């Protein structure tokens, strides 16, 4: 009997610890529900939230149904050096990002890798990027009116001409025919009460089940975006704040100077219409269908990069990811399908491969 | 420093325990082996000067520019294997070692109480873990300063810090890594109460540390990752960012505390009910 009593702590303590660890996050996340609003009002709230100062940590995770490879130990570079595999890594691997924002002109984004970090710092016209793994930095000076260099800049022209409420109305009426929009106000993200805007496609032919946008009830800052795929329990793609702090970040964070021994390159700022320039040299992609089940078709040769100029490694990667189907090779993820026909055309869309094959006929 | 009247003064008992631990040839040899890690790294980089970025363990490319990075490289290299190995040996030996030598019953004849003996054994093993990490960092800084130029340290974020802040961050780093090892120490203590064969307890502790790290590397097991005591071992990198990422420090502290409490309770349950036959 005495022994039983002596064993008691050993039984109770683990139960308490595990129970506490499971319950604590739920308690910490509880926030009181804000007054209910319509989808238009929530979107107007988003459009009105600008020039905020905050810092926070963003978690990105995705489950696209692609094969996963184990990441081993420190120093292993899951992110390859070439652009294609780096982009793939950005999209498919889970990431932690720290974000510091002070108004529209000062931003710092830190992509946290294991024992490494990639930084982008913007302070007014100065933009620095730094990669701790390669010890390379890039320095850009952007002119105030150059559009396309940064998201807030591109957003500005539209928001100037329309009031936030008008903008919200316009957006809602644009998506209304194809999408069911609903708002709930009971959830919380990063411990803050949010409005959850749920966009559900009305069509049944898309892979996307619904898109959930969580908007901070107090400030109107979008805190989380989740894309769910049909027939998949876990979120196909989720990016959102795991913690956020609405105090102004230290000003010194935005004054970046690369450390000694860093290779600094200062490429010329791309001429204004650079992206569209590149597009016009190739044949233009065409869009078939509307709304959620649109299919983008790139005519032969337009895709450029993957087929002939690809390195052997890239080609192998492509072979591993795609499966042979009727008219070529197809890549199926839980959100997006890509069909590369044998005559070089590329079809892509958030639809099943069968729809792409039908479009390719 | 004697074991004659330990019950009255717990600090004296801890002192005598530490004295025994750190006077052991085995302990000294282990600390010397850990000191060799930064020395080997520094000499290898110095001799070959092949510290190009992107290859080898993290930070190794920084060493030729700044000797202070020897400490970071050595820590990164030691965390997966060497440190758990050393901590496993000491923690696995705590109770089983005394039982094996036949000295455990003499320790318990003194009116110290089993629980207090267990606490003191754990404290001594924990202090060894801190000493082990300190040895790596201090020897790393010393050998780095001797063989390479030193100067302001570039953080992972690309910002540069001076000597004072480097010292502060190095201290935090020692705290973080030592903390990371305390959970493993508690596991070792519990396993040590299960057996009278110290080698078995040591091996089991080290195997657990390795198994936990392997499980942590498998994405298919991502659901259990946050519960693994090794999950945040490399999170010390967050101390080298600007600003310092305190999230992982707090999470790691909570995680390790959970392991300490759970395995401490298990060890106490086992040790207070155990028939001491040797």
């Amino acid at each position: 009997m005495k022994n039983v009593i002596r064993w008691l702590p050993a039984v109770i303590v683990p139960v308490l610890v595990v129970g506490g660890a499971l319950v604590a996050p739920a308690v910490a996340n509880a926030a009181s529900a804000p007054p209910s609003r319509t989808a238009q009002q929530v979107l107007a709230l988003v459009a009105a939230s600008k020039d905020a100062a905050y810092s926070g940590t963003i978690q990105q995770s995705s489950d696209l149904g692609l094969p996963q490879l184990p990441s081993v130990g420190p120093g292993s570079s899951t992110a390859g050096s070439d652009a294609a595999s780096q982009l793939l890594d950005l999209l498919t691997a889970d990431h932690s990002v720290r974000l510091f924002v002070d108004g529209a002109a000062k931003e710092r984004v830190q992509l946290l890798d294991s024992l490494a970090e990639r930084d982008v710092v913007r302070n007014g016209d100065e933009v620095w990027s730094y990669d701790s793994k390669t010890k390379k930095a890039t320095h850009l000076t952007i002119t105030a009116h150059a559009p396309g260099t940064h998201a807030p800049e591109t957003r500005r022209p539209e928001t100037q001409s329309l009031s936030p409420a008008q903008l919200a109305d316009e957006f809602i009426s644009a998506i209304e025919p194809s999408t069911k929009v609903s708002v709930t106000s009971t959830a919380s993200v990063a411990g803050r009460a949010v409005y959850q805007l749920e966009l559900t496609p009305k069509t049944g032919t898309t892979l996307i089940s619904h898109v959930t946008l969580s908007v901070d009830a107090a400030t109107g800052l979008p805190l989380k975006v989740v894309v769910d795929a049909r027939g998949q329990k876990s979120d196909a793609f989720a990016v959102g704040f795991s913690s956020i702090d609405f105090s102004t970040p230290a000003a010194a964070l935005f004054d970046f100077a690369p450390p000694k021994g860093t290779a600094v390159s200062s490429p010329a700022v791309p001429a204004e219409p650079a992206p569209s320039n590149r597009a016009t040299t190739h044949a233009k992609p065409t869009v078939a269908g509307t709304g959620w089940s649109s299919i983008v078709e790139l005519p032969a040769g337009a895709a450029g990069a993957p087929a002939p100029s690809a390195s052997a490694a890239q080609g192998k990667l492509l072979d591993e990811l795609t499966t042979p189907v009727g008219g070529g090779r197809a890549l199926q993820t839980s959100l997006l399908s890509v069909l590369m026909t044998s005559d070089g055309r590329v079809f892509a869309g958030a639809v099943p491969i069968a729809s792409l094959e039908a479009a390719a006929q | 420093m004697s074991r004659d009247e330990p019950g009255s003064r717990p600090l004296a008992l801890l002192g005598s325990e530490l004295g025994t631990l750190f006077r052991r040839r085995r302990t000294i040899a282990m600390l010397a082996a850990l000191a060799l890690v930064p020395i080997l790294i520094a000499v290898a980089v110095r001799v070959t000067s092949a510290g190009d970025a992107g290859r080898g363990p993290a930070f190794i490319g920084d060493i030729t520019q700044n000797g202070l990075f020897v400490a970071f490289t050595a820590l990164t290299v030691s965390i997966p294997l060497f440190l758990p190995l050393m901590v496993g040996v000491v923690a696995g030996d705590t109770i089983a070692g005394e039982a094996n030598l036949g000295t455990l019953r003499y320790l318990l004849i003194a009116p110290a109480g089993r629980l207090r003996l267990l606490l003191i054994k754990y404290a001594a093993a924990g202090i060894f873990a801190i000493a082990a990490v300190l040895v790596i960092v201090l020897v790393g800084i010393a050998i780095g300063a001797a063989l390479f130029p030193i100067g302001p340290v570039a953080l992972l974020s690309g910002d540069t810090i001076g000597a004072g802040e480097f010292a502060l961050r190095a201290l935090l780093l020692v705290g973080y890594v030592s903390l990371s090892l305390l959970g493993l120490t508690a596991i070792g203590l519990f396993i040590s109460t299960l057996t009278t064969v110290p080698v078995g307890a040591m091996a089991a502790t080290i195997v657990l540390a390795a198994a936990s790290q392997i499980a942590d590397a498998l994405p298919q097991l991502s659901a259990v990752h946050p519960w693994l005591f090794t999950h945040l071992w490399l999170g010390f990198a967050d101390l080298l960012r600007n600003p310092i990422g305190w999230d992982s420090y707090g999470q790691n502290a909570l995680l390790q505390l959970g392991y300490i409490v759970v395995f401490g309770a298990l060890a106490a349950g086992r040790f207070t009910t155990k028939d001491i036959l040797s």
Side-chain angles (χ1 to χ4, degrees):
Chain A
M1 192 57 214
K2 210 172 166 190
N3 277 357
V4 171
I5 291 169
R6 281 179 174 157
W7 267 110
L8 264 184
V11 177
I12 295 169
V13 167
V15 172
L16 281 182
V17 168
V18 174
L22 289 176
V23 169
V27 174
N29 258 338
S32 58
S36 58
R37 287 177 199 245
T38 64
Q40 276 94 336
Q41 284 171 322
V42 172
L43 283 177
L45 195 67
V46 175
S49 80
K50 271 185 306 189
D51 300 351
Y54 57 90
S55 53
T57 309
I58 297 173
Q59 301 289 346
Q60 182 211 317
S61 65
S62 48
D63 184 358
L64 294 173
L66 290 171
Q68 285 180 314
L69 299 168
S71 60
V72 183
S76 79
S77 52
T78 43
S81 50
D82 62 302
S85 60
Q86 225 168 38
L87 187 69
L88 197 71
D89 169 76
L90 269 182
L91 284 177
T92 58
D94 294 355
H95 286 289
S96 265
V97 175
R98 285 201 300 177
L99 183 66
F100 304 89
V101 176
D102 184 0
K106 289 183 176 182
E107 279 167 73
R108 181 164 191 159
V109 183
Q110 299 182 324
L111 187 60
L112 310 182
D113 300 318
S114 172
L115 297 174
E117 188 171 313
R118 282 168 272 172
D119 272 52
V120 177
V121 189
R122 173 164 183 257
N123 191 354
D125 299 341
E126 306 264 310
V127 179
W128 282 94
S129 77
Y130 177 76
D131 186 339
S132 80
K133 224 177 245 167
T134 58
K135 299 272 171 307
K136 279 182 190 147
T138 321
H139 183 210
L140 283 176
T141 309
I142 50 169
T143 48
H145 298 292
T149 40
H150 216 270
E153 297 284 348
T154 54
R155 228 172 30 212
R156 190 155 295 161
E158 305 154 33
T159 50
Q160 266 169 355
S161 54
L162 286 171
S163 78
Q166 281 174 306
L167 199 71
D169 283 346
E170 217 159 77
F171 179 72
I172 291 284
S173 55
I175 63 171
E176 201 89 83
S178 61
T179 312
K180 190 171 147 283
V181 183
S182 63
V183 181
T184 53
S185 55
T186 48
S188 71
V189 170
R192 297 188 61 91
V194 292
Y195 292 111
Q196 273 194 331
L197 210 59
E198 199 171 276
L199 311 176
T200 314
K202 283 180 180 164
T203 164
T205 54
T206 171
L207 293 171
I208 296 170
S209 153
H210 54 265
V211 177
T212 314
L213 174 71
S214 301
V215 176
D216 184 35
T219 64
L221 192 75
L223 293 184
K224 191 171 190 180
V225 177
V226 177
V227 185
D228 282 298
R230 259 174 223 282
Q232 183 177 313
K233 242 173 101 186
S234 56
D235 297 334
F237 183 82
V239 56
F241 284 95
S242 60
S243 68
I244 186 159
D245 175 11
F246 282 97
S247 56
T248 308
L253 268 180
F254 305 105
D255 295 328
F256 186 83
K260 232 175 67 189
T262 306
V264 180
S265 62
S266 325
V269 181
E272 197 179 296
S276 51
N277 240 352
R278 208 181 308 143
T280 47
T281 56
H282 294 298
K284 277 222 172 84
T286 53
V287 180
T290 54
W292 296 90
S293 46
S294 333
I295 295 169
V296 180
E297 180 194 348
L298 291 150
S309 62
S311 66
Q314 263 175 310
K316 201 169 157 243
L317 187 71
L318 208 63
D319 278 353
E320 275 172 19
L321 285 173
T322 55
T323 47
V325 291
R329 296 189 72 83
L331 168 70
Q332 169 83 73
T333 72
S334 52
L335 285 183
L336 184 79
S337 305
V338 180
L339 172 69
M340 281 160 279
T341 60
S342 23
D343 55 0
R345 291 177 299 161
V346 177
F347 294 85
V351 292
I353 288 180
S355 310
L356 293 180
E357 284 179 296
Q361 294 300 308
Chain B
M1 292 296 285
S2 70
R3 290 193 164 177
D4 298 338
E5 36 173 355
S8 51
R9 288 172 297 144
L11 274 184
L13 188 56
L14 178 62
S16 95
E17 184 62 43
L18 284 176
T20 327
L21 177 63
F22 281 95
R23 267 201 300 272
R24 269 196 171 157
R25 231 177 274 163
R26 183 172 70 195
T27 313
I28 295 167
M30 285 196 294
L31 291 178
L34 282 177
L36 268 179
V37 173
I39 295 175
L40 265 179
I41 291 173
V43 170
V45 171
R46 178 81 208 173
V47 169
T48 61
S49 69
D52 64 310
R55 284 176 52 212
F59 307 119
I60 204 158
D62 300 289
I63 292 176
T64 46
Q65 312 231 343
N66 195 336
L68 296 176
F69 276 101
V70 174
F72 298 151
T73 314
L75 261 190
T76 320
V77 169
S78 308
I79 282 173
L81 181 63
F82 295 125
L83 280 173
L85 195 73
M86 310 291 174
V87 166
V89 166
V90 171
D93 192 52
T94 44
I95 303 297
E98 301 277 5
N100 187 45
L101 289 173
T103 46
L104 190 54
R105 58 184 147 171
Y106 299 114
L107 279 178
L108 293 175
I109 288 170
R114 293 187 179 191
L115 210 54
R116 181 177 287 175
L117 178 70
L118 200 65
L119 280 176
I120 281 164
K121 283 287 184 186
Y122 181 70
I127 288 170
F128 171 79
I130 298 170
V133 179
L134 261 181
V135 162
I136 294 178
V137 171
L138 291 181
V139 172
I141 291 174
I143 191 83
L147 293 184
F148 300 98
I150 57 169
V153 175
L155 298 171
L156 290 174
S157 308
D159 300 286
T160 310
I161 54 170
E165 200 173 345
F166 170 77
L168 182 73
R169 293 206 187 209
L171 215 63
L172 285 170
L173 208 68
V174 171
Y176 186 97
V177 179
S178 313
L179 189 68
S180 301
L181 294 169
L182 289 185
L184 179 65
T185 311
I187 295 173
L189 182 76
F190 169 59
I191 297 175
S192 189
T193 61
L194 296 178
T195 172
T196 54
V197 186
V199 177
M202 295 173 195
T205 311
I206 296 159
V207 164
L208 269 179
S212 172
Q213 291 184 74
I214 292 169
D216 203 21
L218 294 175
Q220 284 79 2
L221 298 177
S222 60
V224 298
H225 283 178
W227 298 83
L228 295 172
F229 61 95
T230 57
H231 182 57
L232 294 164
W233 274 12
L234 289 176
F236 75 84
D238 285 358
L239 294 172
L240 300 175
R241 307 190 195 278
N242 183 36
I244 293 176
W246 291 107
D247 288 5
S248 52
Y249 217 114
Q251 280 169 20
N252 192 27
L254 266 181
L255 181 70
Q256 301 300 333
L257 193 70
Y259 270 93
I260 292 168
V261 170
V262 168
F263 281 91
L266 284 172
R270 165 69 183 163
F271 192 54
T272 48
T273 57
K274 190 182 184 184
D275 290 327
I276 307 294
L277 301 170
S278 55

